[in-house]
Amino acid sequence: MARLLPPQLFFLLTLVVIIHPSYGLKHLKGIALVDEVCRHTSHNEYCVDTIIPKPPLSGERIASTTLGWAQIKALEVGTIIASLLNDSSSILPVAKNPLQAKELLQICWDSNMNTMEDLWIASSLLYNKIINPMIARLYHAANTTRVCQDGLKGTSFTALAAKIEDIIKLCEICVVSTNFFVNGAH
């Protein structure tokens, strides 16, 4: 039986396709640019494995793509949290104290909603090339996401924690690649 996408994910994917800016301001050889951008991040291996170079590749395209991926990850996190909050029986296998787990998940839900807002605004700012406020939104999104990440330490919500970690990494890659096209480094 075919599995349908959650409505939120379908909506996000549709928006990404419709409003995805296709830039090509600064051209570099794909792998060299990816390597250079990734060398400036805290998670070099994750960055290299995540960015799939397609010509013409630029710092701006990497920023746009990683921002879109961060939005998708945030939507996935929201879907996971909503499922856990709506089905108390799914919390029992991973939480010693279900009430504390629900409180933590509610905190994660709230922080994820703020993160999604920041990512959507950052996307609009990137599209309009309003860079400094965009970078500020990305830092805020990553820091807000860390609130949930810190709460999840020592819990068994490993799938959720992994997706949250991806959001933080993608925000960083977006900031670094933005610096490449803004500062003319590449």
Side-chain angles (χ1 to χ4, degrees):
M1 182 168 154
R3 189 170 173 194
L4 298 176
L5 291 174
Q8 301 94 336
L9 182 58
F10 178 76
F11 175 72
L12 178 64
L13 291 173
T14 303
L15 280 176
V16 168
V17 170
I18 292 171
I19 64 172
H20 185 278
S22 58
Y23 301 112
L25 299 177
K26 311 272 187 217
H27 296 272
L28 256 195
K29 294 175 179 82
I31 298 297
L33 177 60
V34 169
D35 287 343
E36 188 64 23
V37 167
C38 292
R39 241 191 325 265
H40 289 85
T41 69
S42 305
H43 308 282
N44 187 1
E45 188 175 321
Y46 175 87
C47 180
V48 170
D49 291 344
T50 302
I51 298 173
I52 301 166
K54 287 185 176 181
L57 189 66
S58 67
E60 194 166 1
R61 285 190 111 168
I62 294 171
S64 176
T65 301
T66 56
L67 181 51
W69 289 336
Q71 290 171 315
I72 290 169
K73 291 289 183 184
L75 192 59
E76 290 173 358
V77 164
T79 301
I80 291 169
I81 294 170
S83 294
L84 290 169
L85 285 171
N86 289 331
D87 181 13
S88 296
S89 65
S90 64
I91 294 175
L92 294 175
V94 294
K96 293 176 186 167
N97 183 333
L99 184 58
Q100 274 185 331
K102 274 197 170 242
E103 290 172 2
L104 172 60
L105 289 170
Q106 188 60 54
I107 290 168
C108 287
W109 174 263
D110 294 341
S111 72
N112 193 61
M113 290 299 105
N114 291 330
T115 296
M116 287 197 317
E117 179 183 7
D118 283 332
L119 293 173
W120 283 109
I121 292 170
S123 180
S124 176
L125 293 167
L126 175 62
Y127 183 78
N128 290 301
K129 295 184 177 62
I130 305 171
I131 301 305
N132 288 336
M134 181 209 86
I135 289 174
R137 286 290 180 161
L138 288 169
Y139 280 125
H140 189 260
N143 289 333
T144 302
T145 302
R146 280 188 186 95
V147 170
C148 180
Q149 181 187 42
D150 291 344
L152 291 175
K153 287 181 181 163
T155 70
S156 297
F157 293 111
T158 53
L160 179 59
K163 289 194 183 294
I164 287 169
E165 179 69 19
D166 286 346
I167 295 169
I168 295 167
K169 291 174 183 176
L170 289 165
C171 285
E172 180 189 11
I173 295 167
C174 187
V175 168
V176 169
S177 56
T178 298
N179 285 328
F180 272 76
F181 79 82
V182 168
N183 296 325
H186 291 320

